[in-house]
Amino acid sequence: MAKKPFASSADLDEKKQTLEVLADGVYALTAEGDPNIGAIEAEDFLICFEALATPTAARAWLARLREHTDKPIRYLVLSHYHAVRVLGASAFDADIVIAHEKTRALIAERGEQDWKSEFERMPRLAKDASSVPGLTWPTQTFADRVTIDLGGDRGELVLEHLGRGHTEGDIVAWLPRQRILFAGDLVEAEAALYTGDAFHRDWAGPTLDRVAALGADMLVGGRGPVTRGRAAVDAAIEQTRHFLRVMLQEVGAVHARGGTLKEAFEAAHAALADRYGHWPIFEHCLPFDVSRLWDELSGIERPVIWTAERDREIWDLLQD
């Protein structure tokens, strides 16, 4: 049996990007399982959500957004620290780059390693990698919740940390008036989960409970199509929870009986592949997912830093 190409290194085909107007002044760009990105118009400024992997990639998104609005960008909101979400930030020329305080700490602790790791895992997303001027640093951080008044009759945008999940510092962007939620990677719709820096039990339990309690009628997840309608939103949240619970059950059983990491990976793969194996980045993510969960079950509270070298070691051990 031929060895699988490393992570997404062989996924070099361009994905079709779709810009959708979700409500008056609310935009999302999806791309067949590539990272999603969005924007919200206030009365006299813009708030952008996520930054893509490079300034070159971000400028292509901004050119499409400028077909709809020429308002200046006051805020760039980063849902978490991963390189493919943040390293395009310089293209936005935002007045304020806002993120959770733990996201800033994670950038300081492991941003350089994550940059090298993710660009090797997903080279297609790193368009014109040399255009990245350096790490992206938030200029404003918060611990729990920040509200931005959108002016006029547009309501407000609520940025909130709902608990540990995909990372320690995930935040969501919630529009209560429009009932639209930008969930970042806390929820994926028809795309596999990356949990290599996750807190699986928190995420599958109280964090997703809080996401569901918002009662969104429309949801933009980290990857996958926009989800419309309360029932579909609830289903996307529960699909995310199911993926996590299956991992916890399968990896946990192998760990409890004194099995090996390789056996845990094989058990999780067998349990998840029929339902999720055809979704974007499933094969890419699962070795890193299982490795992190194994560490968590072994009492390693915070995720071990992923480096390009560690990525290859885990891949070679599990995904052969």
Side-chain angles (χ1 to χ4, degrees):
M1 183 176 176
K3 187 174 181 179
K4 294 173 182 175
F6 173 67
S8 292
S9 60
D11 180 10
L12 301 176
D13 295 334
E14 289 296 315
K15 309 301 182 187
K16 179 183 177 182
Q17 294 186 332
T18 302
L19 190 153
E20 299 178 61
V21 181
L22 307 183
D24 182 27
V26 183
Y27 309 95
L29 187 77
T30 62
E32 300 183 304
D34 275 0
N36 294 336
I37 191 165
I40 300 106
E41 285 190 56
E43 191 74 4
D44 56 4
F45 60 88
L46 273 173
I47 303 162
C48 290
F49 186 77
E50 311 287 41
L52 296 177
T54 68
T56 296
R59 280 191 284 270
W61 148 242
L62 289 169
R64 297 192 66 177
L65 181 62
R66 289 309 184 195
E67 296 172 7
H68 297 268
T69 176
D70 61 359
K71 292 176 182 176
I73 299 170
R74 181 173 297 175
Y75 295 96
L76 172 61
V77 177
L78 306 176
S79 70
H80 62 287
Y81 78 96
H82 285 152
V84 296
R85 302 288 184 181
V86 306
L87 291 181
S90 61
F92 292 79
D93 196 25
D95 295 334
I96 298 168
V97 179
I98 187 167
H100 193 268
E101 61 188 18
K102 291 181 180 176
T103 291
R104 195 183 200 288
L106 287 163
I107 291 168
E109 179 188 48
R110 58 186 69 197
E112 288 281 357
Q113 297 95 321
D114 184 70
W115 179 356
K116 294 174 183 176
S117 165
E118 292 205 33
F119 277 26
E120 287 200 20
R121 290 188 195 180
M122 296 172 277
R124 181 177 48 77
L125 298 183
K127 295 177 182 176
D128 189 15
S130 64
S131 68
V132 179
L135 292 174
T136 295
W137 294 101
T139 60
Q140 179 181 335
T141 63
F142 65 96
D144 299 313
R145 176 184 168 111
V146 167
T147 299
I148 300 172
D149 184 0
L150 301 179
D153 62 355
R154 295 177 180 270
E156 61 185 17
L157 177 70
V158 179
L159 307 178
E160 193 164 6
H161 177 62
L162 299 175
R164 301 189 303 182
H166 176 71
T167 72
E168 283 180 282
D170 298 271
I171 61 173
V172 302
W174 169 232
L175 290 161
R177 181 176 175 275
Q178 299 85 350
R179 308 207 68 76
I180 297 172
L181 178 66
F182 290 86
D185 280 320
L186 286 175
V187 180
E188 309 289 8
E190 299 179 32
L193 273 64
Y194 176 68
T195 74
D197 296 298
F199 296 80
H200 293 79
R201 288 167 288 202
D202 285 6
W203 189 358
T207 299
L208 282 180
D209 288 346
R210 294 182 191 110
V211 173
L214 292 172
D217 291 330
M218 196 177 304
L219 181 146
V220 183
R223 295 174 183 260
V226 175
T227 303
R228 290 176 166 82
R230 180 69 61 81
V233 169
D234 288 346
I237 294 168
E238 291 311 307
Q239 164 250 296
T240 300
R241 196 193 306 269
H242 179 262
F243 191 107
L244 293 164
R245 284 181 170 170
V246 171
M247 284 187 59
L248 282 160
Q249 176 180 324
E250 297 297 329
V251 177
V254 176
H255 190 276
R257 66 171 171 78
T260 66
L261 178 60
K262 176 71 169 175
E263 289 170 339
F265 172 76
E266 290 170 348
H269 193 285
L272 291 165
D274 283 350
R275 180 166 176 178
Y276 301 107
H278 63 288
W279 284 2
I281 68 171
F282 174 80
E283 296 291 350
H284 168 162
C285 292
L286 198 61
F288 310 116
D289 295 353
V290 172
S291 178
R292 165 54 188 157
L293 178 52
W294 188 265
D295 284 350
E296 197 172 11
L297 294 170
S298 301
I300 299 173
E301 175 67 11
R302 298 189 65 247
V304 178
I305 295 173
W306 290 104
T307 65
E309 295 76 21
R310 180 169 178 247
D311 288 353
R312 295 279 182 172
E313 289 172 4
I314 292 297
W315 186 269
D316 290 342
L317 176 64
L318 302 182
Q319 192 69 296
D320 55 18

